[in-house]
């Protein structure tokens, strides 16, 4: 049997397929797929994958669809309606990952001193080599769980994070949806105790889901979530999860980048369909997942999906969800870590998870524009930039009320540079419904700022 746990996504604009607008309404559309191979020797194909891009880390075997602190920029959950945007994304969806997660008291810090000279600045950094990763892993292990999903036609494994002491667990949507709506879910704690679980709510747009343990134990330990707005490139991190079924695996590295636009496609299915090419039913819809992700070189592999990315104090800064993989023409090629992993920032996780806990569903912010299939290069005030070109503005939408017009090129949101439609989509999606944003647009060679208030995305 094949497991539904490897999700691959791609953030490379050069690999994007032509044709599409994004930001107008409920996003949907197909994406090219990339053949994967199970870590357990079974050939697989991820329904979310496209050649040469990020892939949600999932478990490498089994059947079924699935996938598997410092100061920095903020990320907020949200949504720009995505309309017909084709982006080459290889989603390495992890099928539920077992891992370790929790709060740990001692935090390693990184500081830097700068001394100016006549020609250059010299920076002396203090490394985080004193971090006691053994203590971090030991402290957080009770808060990271293994999740197994099985049905009559598919099975998969992945990871989850204990969200609260009431028995709620946050994981990836592609982890819980991979084996179909009637699948049986089993959660295994780090000490081996097993519990049945039910789905509290799922959010395909952000690839997040919340589970509820049945008769949770009184000694359940919830993870501590950090402020992901304060995550910076270069800080030390640990990934905990269940790669290839190897529960409790810990890998370390650094944050390679923040606000990395990653687009993948998650499948909503009325019946089961194998992500690796063997149909078990009829696929019904596809939801574009756009994330301003935390990028890390800590090894993340199939089965890590839904697991924790931790800072040096053992706090969760993100939920591991995808990895980049090299494109291959071989259907039996094994996808795995190449040092490019991506995590959903913890602030976005908490925002969506809180809504799922309260209502079982989540709202997403909406700008109300569709974008040209190609990024645009514009020059204003002697400065040349790449941005997202507006192809169409929906009547009455926040963008229309702000004065955005077709032909405008949006180059930043709240001062954060947007290199193109991928970046703009992810940036709007991370915003909260009702939040105000300042759009920097270039029109007729002149730069101007427009203020928009994002509303809830209309549901199809």
């Amino acid at each position: 049997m094949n497991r539904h746990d490897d999700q691959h996504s791609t953030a490379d604009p050069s690999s994007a397929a032509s044709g599409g607008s994004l930001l107008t309404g409920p996003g949907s559309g197909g994406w090219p797929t990339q053949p994967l191979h199970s870590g357990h020797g079974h050939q697989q194909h991820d329904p979310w994958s496209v050649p040469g891009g990020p892939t949600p880390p999932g478990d490498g075997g089994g059947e079924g669809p699935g996938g598997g602190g410092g100061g920095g920029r903020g990320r907020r959950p949200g949504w720009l309606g995505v309309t017909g945007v084709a982006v080459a994304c290889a989603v390495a969806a992890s099928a539920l990952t077992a891992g370790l997660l929790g709060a740990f008291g001692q935090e390693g810090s990184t500081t830097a001193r700068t001394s100016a000279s006549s020609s250059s600045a010299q920076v002396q950094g203090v490394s985080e080599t004193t971090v006691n990763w053994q203590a971090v892993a030991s402290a957080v292990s009770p808060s990271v769980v293994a999740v197994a999903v099985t049905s009559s036609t598919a099975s998969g494994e992945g990871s989850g994070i204990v969200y609260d002491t009431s028995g709620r667990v946050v994981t990836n949507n592609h982890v819980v949806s991979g084996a179909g709506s009637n699948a049986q879910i089993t959660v295994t704690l780090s000490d081996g105790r097993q519990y049945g679980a039910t789905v509290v709510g799922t959010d395909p747009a952000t690839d997040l889901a919340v589970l509820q343990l049945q008769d949770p134990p009184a000694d359940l330990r919830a993870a501590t979530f950090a402020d992901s707005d304060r995550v910076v490139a270069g800080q030390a991190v640990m990934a905990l999860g269940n790669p290839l079924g190897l529960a409790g695996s810990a890998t370390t590295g650094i944050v390679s980048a923040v606000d990395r636009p990653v687009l993948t496609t998650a499948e909503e299915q009325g019946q089961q369909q194998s992500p690796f090419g063997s149909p078990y039913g009829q696929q019904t819809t596809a939801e574009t997942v756009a994330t301003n992700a935390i990028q890390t070189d800590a090894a993340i592999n199939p089965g890590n999906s839904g697991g924790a990315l931790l800072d040096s104090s053992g706090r969760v800064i993100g939920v591991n969800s995808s990895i980049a993989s090299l494109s291959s023409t071989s259907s039996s090629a094994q996808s795995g870590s190449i040092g490019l992993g991506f995590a959903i920032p913890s602030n976005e996780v908490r925002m969506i998870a809180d809504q799922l806990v309260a209502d079982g569903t989540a709202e997403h912010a909406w700008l109300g524009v569709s974008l040209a299939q190609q990024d645009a290069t514009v020059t204003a005030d002697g400065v040349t930039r790449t941005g997202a070109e507006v192809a169409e503005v929906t009547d009455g939408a926040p963008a229309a009320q702000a004065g955005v017009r077709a032909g405008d090129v949006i180059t930043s949101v709240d001062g954060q540079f947007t290199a193109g439609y991928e970046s703009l989509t992810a940036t709007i999606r991370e915003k909260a419904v009702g939040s105000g944003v300042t759009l920097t647009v270039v029109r007729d060679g002149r730069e101007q700022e427009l203020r928009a208030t994002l509303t809830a995305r209309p549901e199809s």
Side-chain angles (χ1 to χ4, degrees), residues 4 63-66 149-155 174-185 199 269-273:
H4 63 278
E63 293 181 359
V149 179
T150 59
S151 70
S152 60
T153 57
S155 66
H174 70 257
V175 165
V176 301
S177 63
S181 59
N182 296 320
Q184 179 180 353
I185 302 174
V199 176
Q269 298 167 331
Q271 299 182 42
Q272 174 63 18
Q273 175 172 328

Side-chain angles (χ1 to χ4, degrees), residues 383-396:
V383 177
T384 300
R385 292 186 180 277
T386 300
E389 182 177 356
V390 177
E392 184 179 354
V393 180
T394 302
D395 292 340

Side-chain angles (χ1 to χ4, degrees), residues 222-243:
T224 297
F225 285 73
D227 180 1
S228 56
D229 289 357
R230 299 180 60 81
V231 173
V232 294
Q235 74 178 77
V237 291
M238 170 183 282
L240 289 174
N242 183 35

Side-chain angles (χ1 to χ4, degrees), residues 49 104 114 145 198 205 210 229 270 324 335 380 398 456:
S49 67
F104 181 66
T114 307
V145 301
T198 57
V210 173
D229 289 357
S335 63

Side-chain angles (χ1 to χ4, degrees), residues 398-424:
Q401 295 178 4
V404 177
R405 303 177 187 173
D408 287 351
V409 176
I410 300 176
T411 58
S412 72
V413 177
D414 291 336
Q416 180 178 335
F417 174 54
T418 57
Y421 64 88
E422 291 176 325
S423 177
L424 181 57

Side-chain angles (χ1 to χ4, degrees), residues 48-326:
W48 299 285
S49 67
V50 279
T55 309
D59 178 11
E63 293 181 359
R73 295 189 198 167
R75 307 175 185 71
R76 308 165 193 80
W79 165 259
L80 341 158
V82 177
T83 308
V85 182
V87 179
C89 297
V91 176
S94 16
L96 321 183
T97 314
L100 308 174
L101 164 343
F104 181 66
Q106 180 180 358
E107 175 177 4
S109 61
T110 301
T111 59
R113 295 181 299 178
T114 307
S115 58
S117 65
S118 59
S119 59
S120 63
Q122 295 180 341
V123 178
Q124 179 179 0
V126 180
S127 70
E128 291 184 286
T129 56
T130 58
V131 177
N132 187 341
W133 288 121
Q134 180 179 358
V136 171
S138 177
V140 301
S141 62
S143 301
V144 175
V145 301
V147 184
V149 179
T150 59
S151 70
S152 60
T153 57
S155 66
E157 295 178 341
S159 301
I161 301 169
V162 178
Y163 196 63
D164 57 35
T165 56
S166 297
R168 298 185 182 95
V169 172
V170 65
T171 184
N172 285 136
N173 173 66
H174 70 257
V175 165
V176 301
S177 63
S181 59
N182 296 320
Q184 179 180 353
I185 302 174
T186 302
V187 172
T188 303
L189 305 186
S190 61
D191 61 7
R193 288 178 291 172
Q194 295 185 344
Y195 299 87
T198 57
V199 176
V200 174
T202 62
D203 186 45
T206 57
D207 194 21
L208 291 169
V210 173
L211 305 175
Q212 173 66 59
L213 300 188
Q214 298 171 350
D215 298 322
D219 61 348
L220 198 61
R221 186 184 302 178
T224 297
F225 285 73
D227 180 1
S228 56
D229 289 357
R230 299 180 60 81
V231 173
V232 294
Q235 74 178 77
V237 291
M238 170 183 282
L240 289 174
N242 183 35
L244 305 178
L246 303 174
S249 295
T251 57
T252 60
I254 64 168
V255 171
S256 305
V258 296
D259 295 328
R260 179 70 73 196
V262 175
L263 267 65
T264 61
T265 300
E267 306 292 341
E268 279 292 315
Q269 298 167 331
Q271 299 182 42
Q272 174 63 18
Q273 175 172 328
S274 167
F276 312 114
S278 300
Y280 290 98
Q282 179 63 45
Q283 173 183 317
T284 57
T285 63
E287 177 78 61
T288 300
V289 180
T291 306
N292 263 350
I294 298 172
Q295 180 182 323
T296 181
D297 67 349
I300 297 175
N301 284 287
N304 273 119
S305 282
L309 187 65
L310 305 163
D311 65 13
S312 57
S313 294
R315 299 174 301 177
V316 179
I317 63 172
V319 170
N320 298 319
S321 60
S322 63
I323 59 175
S325 62
L326 299 176

